[in-house]
Amino acid sequence: RCVEAWAMAVPWTGFPLAELIKRVEPTSEAKYIKMTTFVDRTVALNQLRFWYPWPYTEALTIEEGMNELTLLATGIYGKPMPKQHGAPIRLVVPWKYGFKNIKSIVAIEFVKERPKTFWEELGPNEYGFWANVNPNFPHPRWSQAEERMLGTDEKRATLIFNGYEKWVASMYPDLKNRLYFNSSCQLL
């Protein structure tokens, strides 16, 4: 589900991020997982745009990373992940807006302090850290109440947490607090 109100259903393959976390055994001081994408301006020409804070970074809380729905995807449609979809590995967090699903991950760090992410740094009033799907909190420039399915252009009502409320809402203590959703979410 994109913050720009389009959506698609994708059959990802991969493994739970929780499995990596268990194998790595981060210390109890680690509260967040920071992920970084590749930088190669000869391949990714948009990275020539010097006004963007490259490399692309994204982050989750350890609790979000341990959720059984959080996936490190290595394939799509039953085939290995192609470059245009984020090879060799990408994050899939189905209850969050798409910009949280970082592609082409080259580094994963377990950190104590909440890192500032790419879009949060670029547009903090539009793209907050939490980025949970909620139809009741509009983006500053458009509604989140409906989504348009790519391929069919079918419009349908947006579901809170993209339909995963039963499995993820307990991680966010105040569902009426804009902090936990897509825009105007800066922590002070």
Side-chain angles (χ1 to χ4, degrees):
R1 171 66 163 80
C2 182
V3 73
E4 294 176 346
W6 58 264
M8 57 194 263
V10 178
W12 301 108
T13 53
F15 58 95
L17 177 56
E19 293 302 317
L20 175 71
I21 296 169
K22 288 174 193 171
R23 286 182 186 233
V24 172
E25 298 179 0
T27 70
S28 60
E29 287 191 355
K31 304 295 181 210
Y32 299 91
I33 307 161
K34 178 184 176 186
M35 291 152 277
T36 305
T37 194
F38 79 104
V39 174
D40 183 346
R41 290 171 174 88
T42 65
V43 174
L45 297 181
N46 279 339
Q47 291 177 346
L48 291 171
R49 296 178 177 169
F50 64 88
W51 55 90
Y52 285 125
W54 301 111
Y56 193 98
T57 58
E58 199 43 78
L60 299 174
T61 66
I62 293 285
E63 185 179 18
E64 289 171 325
M66 290 298 293
N67 185 283
E68 65 184 336
L69 296 172
T70 305
L71 182 70
L72 286 174
T74 57
I76 185 171
Y77 296 105
K79 299 192 185 294
M81 186 76 68
K83 289 179 183 177
Q84 68 265 29
H85 291 296
I89 195 164
R90 72 173 289 157
L91 181 69
V92 176
V93 190
W95 68 93
K96 292 187 174 287
Y97 288 107
F99 68 90
K100 293 295 284 187
N101 295 272
I102 184 172
K103 297 177 180 180
S104 305
I105 299 169
V106 297
I108 297 175
E109 301 171 72
F110 296 90
V111 297
K112 182 177 180 178
E113 302 295 326
R114 184 173 73 84
K116 198 159 205 175
T117 62
F118 182 90
W119 282 108
E120 185 183 16
E121 188 173 323
L122 204 57
N125 292 329
E126 294 189 22
Y127 305 102
F129 175 81
W130 299 97
N132 294 310
V133 175
N134 188 332
N136 300 315
F137 289 101
H139 183 279
R141 294 181 279 147
W142 50 76
S143 171
Q144 295 295 345
E146 285 187 329
E147 60 190 27
R148 178 182 55 83
M149 291 300 292
L150 291 183
T152 65
D153 280 339
E154 170 197 356
K155 287 192 176 184
R156 60 185 189 188
T158 299
L159 300 174
I160 189 165
F161 295 112
N162 211 23
Y164 295 97
E165 180 178 16
K166 175 174 142 182
W167 296 279
V168 303
S170 63
M171 291 187 282
Y172 312 101
D174 182 358
L175 299 186
K176 294 181 179 167
N177 188 337
R178 190 172 202 51
L179 171 73
Y180 295 109
F181 302 98
N182 76 308
S183 58
S184 302
C185 304
Q186 292 178 317
L187 284 176
L188 302 176

